[in-house]
């Protein structure tokens, strides 16, 4: 058996339920040879070859692997570099077994809970093995990967697995395309992540804007009520001060500011007291204003005659 070269192929067999429709822990991977696929493969050799002696070498090679062999879904482990998608496991196994008259089996498969449910529900019916074989003799050399699938015809997968396996002399153009595909996949994933972040930030901005507008509305209401209260207090004080102003002067001093009105009333009150007798009768009106009265008339813009008349 020659092992200096290796060509890959994919073959799919039905995953037969165990007794009572239980999920099987063994899976039939390859028939005894010579055998061919229903779609006419292989096309480079007359048939694939597998017997007990050839299988012994395949089993030995599998036992030398450092870890378990992955069972994935739809051969995603082979596509991951190109599409950038994750590779969820359907199950794991370590051992292969040759069964006379039947072929090569994966034994002791430890299915994940999800895979077990899908198989039990018949949502996955087939097991697909990708295997390497000699391009000169067709002898099976190794099991490369295993997958659950519902697509028995996997001829188109051969080129992909061959390119991944035989990359010692890669085609620069194909490598460049693969690199571009990986870069696009990575950028697409990054773009989708940024879209999610932008959406979250937009939601946060909308929430904060709503809270800000609500706070502004509440503050405006508070300020309006405070201004209304201040006006009410000012009106009460103004009315109280105007009660102390002679009737003839109320119109002229009514538009004064509160500060000016307070000042006027403070200066006018002593004057009112002087114009009254001890028995609360008005004192005789003098013919002329005092110096202080004249200054007050000038400040208020009131004529001397009007001031004297107001004193009467």
């Amino acid at each position: 058996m020659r092992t200096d070269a290796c060509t890959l192929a994919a073959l799919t067999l039905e995953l037969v339920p165990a007794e009572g429709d239980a999920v099987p822990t063994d899976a039939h991977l390859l028939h005894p040879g010579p055998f061919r696929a229903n779609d006419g493969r292989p096309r480079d050799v007359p048939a694939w070859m597998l017997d007990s002696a050839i299988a012994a070498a395949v089993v030995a090679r599998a036992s030398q692997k450092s870890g378990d062999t992955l069972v994935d879904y739809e051969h995603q482990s082979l596509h991951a570099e190109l599409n950038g998608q994750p590779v969820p496991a359907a199950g794991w196994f370590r051992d292969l077994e040759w069964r006379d008259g039947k072929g090569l089996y994966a034994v002791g498969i430890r299915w994940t809970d999800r895979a077990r449910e899908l198989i039990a529900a018949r949502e996955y019916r087939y097991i697909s093995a990708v295997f390497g074989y000699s391009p000169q003799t067709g002898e099976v050399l190794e099991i490369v990967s295993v997958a659950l699938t519902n697509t028995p015809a996997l001829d188109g997968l051969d080129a992909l697995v061959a390119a991944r396996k035989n990359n010692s002399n890669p085609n620069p153009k194909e490598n460049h395309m693969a690199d571009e595909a990986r870069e696009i996949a990575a950028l697409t994933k990054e773009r989708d992540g940024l879209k999610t972040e932008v959406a979250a930030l937009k939601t946060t901005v909308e929430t904060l804007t709503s809270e800000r507008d609500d706070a502004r509305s509440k503050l405006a209401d508070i300020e309006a009520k405070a201004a209304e209260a201040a006006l009410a207090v000012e009106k009460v004080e103004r009315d109280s001060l105007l009660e102390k102003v002679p009737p003839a002067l109320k119109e002229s001093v009514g538009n004064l500011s509160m500060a000016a009105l307070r000042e006027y009333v403070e200066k006018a009150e002593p004057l009112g007291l002087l114009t009254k007798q001890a028995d609360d009768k008005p004192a005789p009106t003098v013919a002329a204003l005092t110096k202080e009265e004249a200054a007050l008339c000038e400040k208020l813009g009131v004529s001397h005659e009007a001031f004297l008349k107001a004193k009467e």
Side-chain angles (χ1 to χ4, degrees):
M1 179 177 66
R2 298 179 59 180
T3 59
D4 54 331
C6 179
T7 301
L8 299 184
L11 188 66
T12 304
L13 296 176
E14 187 166 7
L15 188 63
V16 180
E19 185 176 352
D21 287 337
V23 175
T25 56
D26 297 349
H28 194 182
L29 302 182
L30 298 175
H31 292 298
F35 64 96
R36 301 177 60 85
N38 292 335
D39 58 8
R41 292 173 295 148
R43 297 178 175 84
D44 52 350
V45 293
W48 292 308
M49 301 300 298
L50 182 63
D51 56 22
S52 59
I54 297 172
V58 176
V59 171
R61 178 171 291 182
S63 68
Q64 293 170 3
K65 292 176 63 174
S66 59
D68 293 346
T69 298
L70 167 71
V71 182
D72 64 10
Y73 295 93
E74 303 294 351
H75 293 288
Q76 173 56 22
S77 59
L78 299 176
H79 294 284
E81 290 185 6
L82 295 179
N83 62 26
Q85 298 301 310
V87 185
W92 305 88
F93 69 91
R94 286 195 63 86
D95 301 318
L96 295 173
E97 182 180 280
W98 172 258
R99 296 179 184 177
D100 289 333
K102 293 185 177 181
L104 189 66
Y105 283 72
V107 296
I109 301 174
R110 301 183 302 282
W111 300 109
T112 64
D113 291 341
R114 177 170 176 254
R116 188 181 298 277
E117 292 176 1
L118 292 172
I119 295 169
R122 305 294 283 166
E123 293 186 38
Y124 270 101
R125 291 185 55 196
Y126 299 95
I127 194 86
S128 175
V130 175
F131 60 97
Y133 66 95
S134 168
Q136 287 78 33
T137 65
E139 294 176 359
V140 175
L141 301 178
E142 64 176 323
I143 298 298
V144 176
S145 66
V146 179
L148 285 176
T149 183
N150 280 326
T151 310
L154 295 173
D155 194 14
L157 189 64
D158 293 356
L160 173 63
V161 295
R164 287 173 53 85
K165 183 71 176 179
N166 301 318
N167 59 2
S168 56
N169 295 305
N171 184 312
K173 183 177 180 180
E174 290 181 355
N175 282 349
H176 178 67
M177 292 177 64
D179 290 341
E180 284 188 344
R182 283 191 292 271
E183 184 176 355
I184 290 172
L187 290 174
T188 300
K189 186 176 181 180
E190 182 178 358
R191 179 204 64 191
D192 293 343
L194 290 174
K195 281 184 176 180
T196 301
E197 292 181 11
V198 168
L201 288 173
K202 188 178 292 186
T203 299
T204 301
V205 169
E206 291 174 352
T207 300
L208 292 175
T209 301
S210 177
E211 291 177 354
R212 180 204 64 192
D213 293 343
D214 185 54
R216 284 180 174 176
S217 177
K218 290 180 179 178
L219 179 61
D221 289 342
I222 293 172
E223 290 177 343
K225 290 178 180 178
E228 185 178 348
L231 287 174
V233 171
E234 182 178 316
K235 184 177 184 307
V236 170
E237 183 182 3
R238 180 178 290 275
D239 291 344
S240 176
L241 291 172
L242 288 175
E243 288 294 327
K244 302 175 182 179
V245 176
L249 295 177
K250 283 186 178 181
E251 183 176 354
S252 60
V253 301
N255 294 325
L256 291 176
S257 68
M258 286 300 299
L261 183 59
R262 292 189 192 100
E263 183 180 0
Y264 168 77
V265 171
E266 287 174 359
K267 291 183 178 180
E269 281 185 343
L271 179 62
L273 292 174
L274 292 174
T275 60
K276 294 186 177 181
Q277 297 288 354
D279 58 357
D280 203 28
K281 293 182 178 180
T285 303
V286 295
L289 301 178
T290 65
K291 183 177 180 180
E292 290 77 8
E293 290 174 338
L296 183 59
C297 286
E298 183 177 355
K299 184 173 183 178
L300 296 175
V302 178
S303 67
H304 291 193
E305 291 77 7
F307 187 87
L308 288 171
K309 187 178 180 180
K311 291 171 59 178
E312 292 178 358

